[in-house]
Amino acid sequence: MTNRLYGNAVNAPAFFDFVKKCAETDVSIHSFRYLRNGSLAVGADFAPYSGDEKMHVYSLSKSFTSMAVGIAVDEGLLSLDERMCDIFPDKMPTSISENLSQMTLRDVITMQSGHEACVFNRVLSSDDSLGAFFSADVKYKPGTKFVYNTAGTMVCGAAVTRRSGESLVDYLDKRLFSRLGIEKPYWERTVDGLCYGGVGLHIDADSIAKFGQMLVDRGVYEGKRIVSAEYIDDASSSHSLDINNGSVDWVSGYGYQLWLNNKNTGGYRGDGAFGQLCIVLPEKREVFVMLCECSNMQSELNVILDFMKNSAAPDNTDFEKAEALTHTAFEVPASKPLKNRIDYVCGKNDSRIFGISLVPDGENMVIELDCDYGRQHIVCGNGKYIHSSSQVIALAPAIVALHKYGGLEPFNVFGAYTIADDEIIATLRHSDLPHTQKWRFGKDKLTITLSCGGLPQAEYDLIKK
């Protein structure tokens, strides 16, 4: 059996308490890494996750884009005080407003572009993403008002691309990822080929930990200078303030795509929706990386900070029981296996599925989806998770308002099923997204529920053949 709890300073009692508090606050841990003084104090992966999965880290992507800008500044390709109309003269509207003419790269990277709201959805629906951004109304004087705008991060990455001639991910691969020993990750792109920048990065926990360690060491990793210390210091200082968030660690200041922690904690972090965190405490030389599924990130952060305080000294008391938790936290109990094939006709739906079959395969169950783009298969184990990959439409969870549905998307899940009373329940844990779906097959309906995130459609009418 794979050891899923490890490190050179594991404190098993503190780990027990951490897992308990996470459960109490609806934080479903996939993987975490806690580094102290440059080495791994404790890390864990909770089955079926192994820690090797490249997960969509949502807005934690922004911190990587910030470092791309920093490297480009170091190389003399960009200046934070450059006006956006000078970087992208060909993407400006015919009539340039006074506010737009004053917008600088610094304004955009500090979430003070002057827009009234995030325009990322506008960008995604256009085949000219930069044109869509700059044609949106710039209501406020740039540099005066914080408005969280994921599209602005895309523009920051596009500025690197414009001056370097390389895509954002290629630029970072040569200058950051490869130098940190990180395999080139996948980054989702707009219709016209720009990396999303603000979201869409798929990367694993160990790689994020290396990134965090580079930040702790002010731009150096294993003796190699990656980003200037001056940029790291500037990026992790407060340049703007989100006064409307209300949560203590989200109203403590914002740097260059980095959130400042509250003054008592110190340091800063990159974070992404549903619980993806890279917490950096430079004075203590600590990094904490969390990949998980949760809806209240302040509660998650509080639990993590308590764990960091309470696990300073190694303690192997009941280590075996603590390690066992990483194997059993998400287990689905075995039930009576599916014996006979069940075929349904599926009502009209966004996913373009016209038929669903539940097919026994020994102890396992295969969900066959007959779609107008071909048959797809999802394999579910009985009392265990089985990984499968397919391509589907409108079935991958996301922040619906910021996601462009309509085309084929990967559907990579660990699947398990149970049969209880008159209901068959499939639990599908995405291996590349921080989401879990439960598919409940009732008498005449398939109902999909999510722990977090959203879908265009949650109910499918079924008629048994």
Side-chain angles (χ1 to χ4, degrees):
M1 185 178 288
T2 304
N3 185 11
R4 294 181 172 274
L5 176 59
Y6 43 85
N8 61 27
V10 175
N11 184 304
F15 177 77
F16 267 120
D17 189 55
F18 177 55
V19 175
K20 178 185 176 183
K21 288 180 178 177
C22 281
E24 291 172 349
T25 51
D26 294 323
V27 177
S28 296
I29 313 169
H30 297 177
S31 297
F32 76 82
R33 304 287 184 268
Y34 179 22
L35 279 64
R36 289 200 295 258
N37 296 315
S39 62
L40 183 69
V42 56
D45 306 304
F46 288 71
Y49 310 101
S50 68
D52 294 330
E53 295 83 14
K54 291 179 171 54
M55 304 288 292
H56 181 197
V57 294
Y58 282 96
S59 287
L60 181 50
S61 309
K62 291 178 171 68
S63 304
F64 289 85
T65 299
S66 174
M67 292 307 114
V69 171
I71 295 169
V73 168
D74 292 341
E75 292 180 342
L77 298 177
L78 288 169
S79 166
L80 290 172
D81 294 318
E82 278 190 90
R83 298 187 306 163
M84 302 311 291
C85 60
D86 294 328
I87 300 174
F88 299 108
D90 55 318
K91 294 298 181 179
M92 294 293 140
T94 303
S95 177
I96 303 177
S97 69
E98 178 65 20
N99 282 345
L100 176 57
S101 72
Q102 295 179 15
M103 186 192 300
T104 66
L105 181 57
R106 189 186 305 273
D107 296 329
V108 179
I109 204 170
T110 58
M111 296 294 183
Q112 299 177 106
S113 64
H115 290 97
E116 185 175 15
C118 180
V119 295
F120 191 58
N121 193 260
R122 175 190 179 103
V123 163
L124 288 185
S125 61
S126 174
D127 57 6
D128 180 5
S129 52
L130 291 168
F133 179 85
F134 291 117
S135 64
D137 180 43
V138 183
K139 181 177 180 178
Y140 307 108
K141 181 181 178 180
T144 64
K145 186 176 178 61
F146 181 101
V147 174
Y148 196 76
N149 193 349
T150 294
T153 319
M154 181 214 70
V155 171
C156 292
V160 174
T161 293
R162 173 60 65 97
R163 291 292 171 79
S164 69
E166 299 175 84
S167 73
L168 176 62
V169 70
D170 287 341
Y171 183 83
L172 280 175
D173 186 43
K174 293 178 182 177
R175 296 161 177 83
L176 180 114
F177 296 131
S178 63
R179 301 187 71 196
L180 267 59
I182 298 172
E183 181 182 356
K184 180 180 175 182
Y186 169 67
W187 211 321
E188 297 173 43
R189 301 189 184 220
T190 61
V191 173
D192 51 348
L194 293 173
C195 292
Y196 281 178
V199 291
L201 179 65
H202 293 243
I203 195 165
D204 62 273
D206 288 322
S207 296
I208 301 170
K210 292 178 180 179
F211 178 73
Q213 187 60 48
M214 183 272 295
L215 294 176
V216 160
D217 290 330
R218 299 176 67 221
V220 172
Y221 185 76
E222 293 185 346
K224 298 173 288 189
R225 171 64 64 185
I226 309 296
V227 193
S228 67
E230 292 77 12
Y231 182 83
I232 298 290
D233 293 345
D234 203 20
S236 58
S237 300
S238 180
H239 295 274
S240 55
L241 185 66
D242 182 3
I243 62 174
N244 297 313
N245 194 294
S247 186
V248 62
D249 283 292
W250 277 265
V251 293
S252 297
Y254 193 77
Y256 300 157
Q257 308 289 294
L258 295 166
W259 294 93
L260 273 67
N261 301 321
N262 70 76
K263 290 182 180 180
N264 290 332
T265 301
Y268 58 93
R269 68 189 186 282
D271 63 40
F274 312 117
Q276 321 325 306
L277 290 173
C278 179
I279 303 167
V280 180
L281 305 181
E283 291 186 3
K284 296 181 178 180
R285 300 204 71 241
E286 295 181 339
V287 176
F288 198 101
V289 172
M290 182 81 135
L291 296 180
C292 72
E293 180 180 28
C294 82
S295 56
N296 188 328
M297 291 180 65
Q298 184 64 68
S299 296
E300 173 199 6
L301 190 55
N302 293 343
V303 173
I304 289 172
L305 293 173
D306 282 346
F307 174 62
M308 293 171 75
K309 292 176 184 176
N310 296 332
S311 61
D315 186 342
N316 286 322
T317 306
D318 287 334
F319 175 84
E320 290 77 11
K321 290 182 179 179
E323 204 274 333
L325 280 177
T326 63
H327 297 270
T328 60
F330 298 136
E331 72 178 355
V332 176
S335 67
K336 59 181 180 181
L338 180 69
K339 292 185 178 180
N340 300 308
R341 177 186 180 110
I342 305 173
D343 297 302
Y344 301 97
V345 175
C346 193
K348 187 176 181 180
N349 58 81
D350 294 330
S351 302
R352 292 158 50 182
I353 300 168
F354 58 83
I356 301 179
S357 298
L358 305 181
V359 183
D361 180 17
E363 288 286 313
N364 302 331
M365 179 183 77
V366 180
I367 304 173
E368 291 184 353
L369 305 177
D370 288 317
C371 315
D372 64 11
Y373 43 88
R375 177 172 288 177
Q376 308 296 321
H377 298 87
I378 303 169
V379 183
C380 300
N382 185 6
K384 62 180 180 180
Y385 287 97
I386 296 177
H387 190 263
S388 59
S389 298
S390 55
Q391 294 278 326
V392 294
I393 291 174
L395 276 175
I399 301 173
V400 176
L402 299 178
H403 186 72
K404 186 176 182 180
Y405 282 106
L408 282 172
E409 296 180 289
F411 196 80
N412 304 313
V413 294
F414 299 104
Y417 80 99
T418 57
I419 299 177
D421 300 325
D422 294 328
E423 199 172 45
I424 299 174
I425 304 171
T427 300
L428 306 177
R429 296 187 168 277
H430 287 263
S431 61
D432 53 357
L433 301 170
H435 301 290
T436 302
Q437 304 190 37
K438 285 190 181 293
W439 289 21
R440 299 177 180 274
F441 292 89
K443 182 178 180 181
D444 57 3
K445 197 175 294 294
L446 163 61
T447 303
I448 300 175
T449 58
L450 300 171
S451 298
C452 61
L455 286 170
Q457 186 172 352
E459 289 190 345
Y460 294 73
D461 293 325
L462 300 177
I463 300 174
K464 189 180 292 187
K465 288 185 180 180

